[in-house]
Amino acid sequence: MCKLQCATVFMRLLLTPSLVLAADRDVQIRSIHFDPGLIELFNYGETDEPLDGWVLCSHDENEAFVYTNPMSFIGVTIEAGSSLFIHFNNDAPVGDPDRINRSVLGPFATPLDALGAYSLSLYVNTIFTDGANIADHLQWSLDGLDNAMADKRSDEAVAGGLWTNESVWIMTGSETRIVTLLDETGRILHGPSDYLALDALANPIPLVIASGPVHIKLEPVATGLTAPNWGISAPGVANTLFVTDQPGILWRIDLSDGSKSVFLDVSSQLVPLGIFGPDSFDERGLLGVAFHPDYQSNGYLYTYTSEPVSGAADFSTMPPLTLADHQAVITRWAVPVPTDPFSVVDPGSEFEILRIDEPQFNHNAGALSFGPDGQLYIALGDGGGADDHDGQPFIGGPLIGHGDGNGKNPETILGSVIRIDVNGKNSANGKYGIPPKNPFTTPGDSRLDEIFAYGLRNPFRFSFDAVTGQLWLADVGQNDIEEINLVTSGGNYGWNQKEGTFAFETNGQASGFVTSESVPGILVEPIAQYDHDEGIAIVGGFVSRGTRVEPLFGRYVFGDFAKTFSNDGRLFHLTQANEIREFNLVGQSALDLSLLGFGQDAAGEIYVMANATGTPFGTTGVVLRMTTKSGDINADGVTGVLDLLRLLSDWNKLGGASDIDQDGIVNVFDLLILLANWG
């Protein structure tokens, strides 16, 4: 810190609009761009060397401080016909006594909306000599009219709220500079029609999710887990579900009796869970598993884990000399005798394939799955925090590692679905291959070879339809919209330019929001979406291909973590027209648990993963099978005449929804069960 001996401060904004401002509308300038070759800043008092950016100074009780680069200039709002408002702060964390978060407000003599073309100049002049004779002067030059504002130290100015008791100065060189106004996409703003203030939508989707006609029963399969979040089958392994438990256990669950055993334990490799300590929320952990298509011969499986930073990452968005919160690690493991139902993972078979820096604790995504093409697909979140841009206050300090958005930048790996060939070796680290059909592999293309699709925020769960091969992905939203996407090669799904089908405003250091504005560019729209009146975090599932709930065949099943973060998860499905419907639950009015994930067995049946805490702690985790009331073949909630007629029409057929006892044939035993549950 140093004392200022003398400084003259001023800034000029030149606006040349061609249209008149609409009355009572705000003009929102997203950012101000200065050519560093034209702006010369000096750190007076310590050195006279030019700085490459802004210097922000605060004066309090005759003590002056200098805060050097970088600082963030939040923006300028011009209220039509009233005033100019400048808001800025430095990089000191919230609560730090060195933090500056000040505003300068001054009146206009001529209403802006009375002018056609105009120029606006703002001069902030400060004279400071040895902590005395302070005179601040704010002068407006509006279309040739100059209007001086009262001295900062005058009682009238302070009482009028024009100044705080501390002064703020932005220091530039001694000449007027013309600057260019840009929006957050880098587009030059030519006039007020380009940057009228955007209004946040209070209720983006007024339509309420209705209950559908399907009635399901949740049948407990396994209990005593912690935070189960994903369940899949392994090639060639019958009647078994492999379930990832967030604290680091991969369970093997026998679907015939619900017994479970540890198949792999990676808990010692994870970061300590609980972002605020034990029993608190976290999004890190063991987040995904996938079995190699040739598992029966090679015994390979792959996991996604959140591990402490250990050495250089294969991919990183972190600024120099900064440390990531953790690293996402993709690991290959081997089972010695995959044909033996009692064989487990050999812990010594660990082979690290990929290590990625994660700037913050959240938005990790974590799903991985082999596609119909035999390649491994991996979902990666935008790096965490909120709104996917640097500078916003967050746990531990302002966000870093995002720039102006990882999701929309295909030159960074975060915020994407990547596709790799686990049998190849032509990647930069030599541990996997790049599929030649990946969309950005043309020589000279700066976009990452690994990326299959991008523009994603937190694609926590995705899955492939076992019949069509389509990739269904649920992307967790920010503050307003949850969405479902059908993902295709090279697609840009819009984050952080949009959330769902709505334009997204990152809103500086405040919380972002959606608007009704149009979004430029070729961005893929979701096939379904809902807003935060209905839930707060979508949990992706599977396209049902089982027979236990016949009306769900070919329908995508998903849900929401919790409507209010109070163990009030919800279960949904899409109709043929991709409308969202909520399930009717037999024997219960609500799930009354936090929804953590879904599972699908080899027969295409769906399972619900949940617990009673919403955290990776405790033993309340359960695996629940989606089925129907006994005898309710058409899943309408009643066992009656329609079900009886259906069973009789299926008599002696092999399997199907009418095979109530699941013994492989429709016969008298199924009829007896139906009659016993009549009504």
Side-chain angles (χ1 to χ4, degrees), residues 42 45 62 72 106 132 234 266 287 298 326 466 468-469 492 597 623 649:
F42 294 90
N62 296 328
S72 54
V266 296
L287 302 180
N298 61 29
H326 68 281
T468 67
N492 177 1
V623 177
S649 70

Side-chain angles (χ1 to χ4, degrees), residues 393-530:
F394 195 65
I395 300 169
L399 291 184
I400 57 174
H402 294 259
D404 65 350
N406 288 323
K408 65 187 177 186
N409 183 3
E411 296 183 17
T412 67
I413 202 166
L414 297 177
S416 69
V417 172
I418 64 172
R419 177 170 63 177
I420 64 174
D421 178 2
V422 296
N423 300 315
K425 294 184 179 299
N426 66 332
S427 62
N429 68 6
K431 297 179 179 180
Y432 59 89
I434 304 296
K437 292 186 178 180
N438 275 9
F440 307 132
T441 56
T442 303
D445 193 330
S446 61
R447 295 171 291 185
L448 293 184
D449 292 342
E450 285 83 355
I451 289 179
F452 179 76
Y454 65 106
L456 300 167
R457 179 183 177 275
N458 186 15
F460 177 55
R461 290 294 172 245
F462 73 86
S463 61
F464 290 95
D465 184 343
V467 173
T468 67
Q470 289 179 304
L471 195 166
W472 291 76
L473 181 147
D475 197 8
V476 181
Q478 182 61 56
N479 299 317
D480 295 289
I481 306 296
E482 307 298 313
E483 65 184 86
I484 299 169
N485 296 289
L486 282 176
V487 176
T488 56
S489 179
N492 177 1
Y493 292 82
W495 179 250
N496 63 0
Q497 295 167 271
K498 69 183 186 74
E499 187 178 2
T501 59
F502 298 88
F504 183 78
E505 171 60 44
T506 55
N507 199 26
Q509 291 192 353
S511 296
F513 54 84
V514 296
T515 78
S516 59
E517 300 296 314
S518 61
V519 183
I522 302 174
L523 307 175
V524 184
E525 300 283 37
I527 64 166
Q529 61 183 352
Y530 61 92

